[in-house]
Amino acid sequence: MGKGRSGYSFPINELPDLTRIALAKGYELPIKWKHAREICNAIMEKGMYLHEAIEYLKDVMEQKNYVPFKRFKGNVAHRKNSYYWKWPAGRYPYKAAKYILSVLENALNNAKDKGLDERRLKILLLAAHKSRILRRRPDRRGPGILRGWKVKRGTNLEVVVMEVPEEIIEEVAPPEEVEEVEEVSEEEAEEEEMEEEIEEGEEAAEEEETEENEEEEENEIEEGEEE
């Protein structure tokens, strides 16, 4: 949905079931395209569901989580707790997150009107494009000194979400219970070893006695047959 192009970048008409699809657009949003691009890339990279993306943008606005800047990373500070994104450079673009959040909430409302389950809505497409030039004026440094042209441009946003069947949703299995291992002191371990040795000795003695008794019985039987 770039300049001079209408519709969606995603081939919606090729999907088998259009009743599970919900759409939303944002035209000429007064936000920086670079910030919007990084937010969309972060959400699509993690493969978030719609409710997860909404919670993530709220955390960005409250500075509980950051947006990783991977393309436009010049002079971008590093953030703590980068193990989630595995990328240290990031920012908290409040204004861009606010407008993108409004578009995602619009998509959520459109899905609810269709009767779709909001917990099973997967984001298929979230893309930001440069809009048309809203304002262009000469940027003068002084009388007769033109530094260039100052251009103000907005951002177009497109969202496509789909209701995923319950079979595809991965259910997180509960963690396995770990058996607690009792700590055994050295003295108790030695006592257990002594008891095991005594039991083994008694078993060996019982086996020898049974073997001797069997031999005696066989000898008596042989003597009786000879007589």
Side-chain angles (χ1 to χ4, degrees):
M1 199 181 63
K3 295 184 294 183
R5 191 153 55 100
S6 60
Y8 285 83
S9 301
F10 193 83
I12 302 172
N13 296 327
E14 297 180 4
L15 295 175
D17 190 4
L18 298 180
T19 58
R20 296 176 178 267
I21 300 297
L23 310 174
K25 285 183 180 181
Y27 290 103
E28 298 178 357
L29 303 176
I31 58 177
K32 292 183 178 180
W33 171 75
K34 293 181 179 181
H35 291 178
R37 185 263 171 198
E38 296 293 356
I39 292 174
C40 296
N41 181 68
I43 293 174
M44 293 299 296
E45 181 182 351
K46 287 295 183 179
M48 296 183 183
Y49 286 83
L50 184 57
H51 66 277
E52 294 175 347
I54 291 174
E55 292 176 0
Y56 167 63
L57 292 179
K58 290 180 180 178
D59 291 341
V60 171
M61 295 172 64
E62 297 175 0
Q63 294 191 1
K64 295 180 180 179
N65 201 347
Y66 68 93
V67 177
F69 276 53
K70 296 189 175 182
R71 178 181 293 182
F72 308 105
K73 58 183 182 296
N75 299 326
V76 178
H78 288 193
R79 306 296 173 182
K80 62 181 180 180
N81 298 330
S82 60
Y83 58 88
Y84 179 73
W85 294 107
K86 298 181 181 179
W87 188 267
R91 284 178 176 168
Y92 305 98
Y94 179 87
K95 187 176 181 181
K98 177 183 177 181
Y99 279 92
I100 295 176
L101 176 62
S102 65
V103 178
L104 294 182
E105 289 176 347
N106 189 12
L108 179 61
N109 294 330
N110 294 338
K112 288 181 179 179
D113 290 340
K114 281 190 169 184
L116 304 179
D117 187 1
E118 58 181 329
R119 306 296 295 182
R120 292 159 49 193
L121 294 175
K122 181 81 171 178
I123 298 178
L124 298 182
L125 175 68
L126 178 60
H129 308 281
K130 295 179 180 179
S131 70
R132 63 187 178 90
I133 295 175
L134 303 179
R135 187 178 65 197
R136 181 179 180 181
R137 65 175 177 83
D139 188 10
R140 296 187 181 275
R141 220 174 139 185
I145 303 175
L146 181 63
R147 190 162 52 181
W149 293 89
K150 197 166 186 178
V151 176
K152 183 178 180 181
R153 188 191 299 273
T155 302
N156 295 335
L157 198 73
E158 54 180 340
V159 185
V160 179
V161 296
M162 182 180 69
E163 185 185 34
V164 180
E166 295 181 356
E167 294 78 10
I168 300 178
I169 299 176
E170 298 180 358
E171 297 181 357
V172 179
E176 297 181 357
E177 296 181 358
V178 180
E179 296 181 357
E180 297 181 356
V181 180
E182 297 180 356
E183 296 182 357
V184 181
S185 62
E186 295 181 357
E187 296 179 357
E188 293 178 353
E190 291 178 357
E191 291 178 358
E192 290 180 357
E193 290 180 359
M194 292 290 292
E195 291 177 357
E196 290 177 357
E197 290 178 357
I198 292 169
E199 290 178 357
E200 290 177 357
E202 292 177 353
E203 290 178 357
E206 290 177 358
E207 290 179 356
E208 290 179 358
E209 290 178 0
T210 53
E211 290 178 357
E212 290 177 357
N213 294 331
E214 289 177 356
E215 289 179 357
E216 289 178 358
E217 291 177 357
E218 290 178 356
N219 293 330
E220 290 177 359
I221 293 169
E222 289 177 357
E223 290 176 358
E225 290 178 352
E226 289 177 359
E227 292 177 357

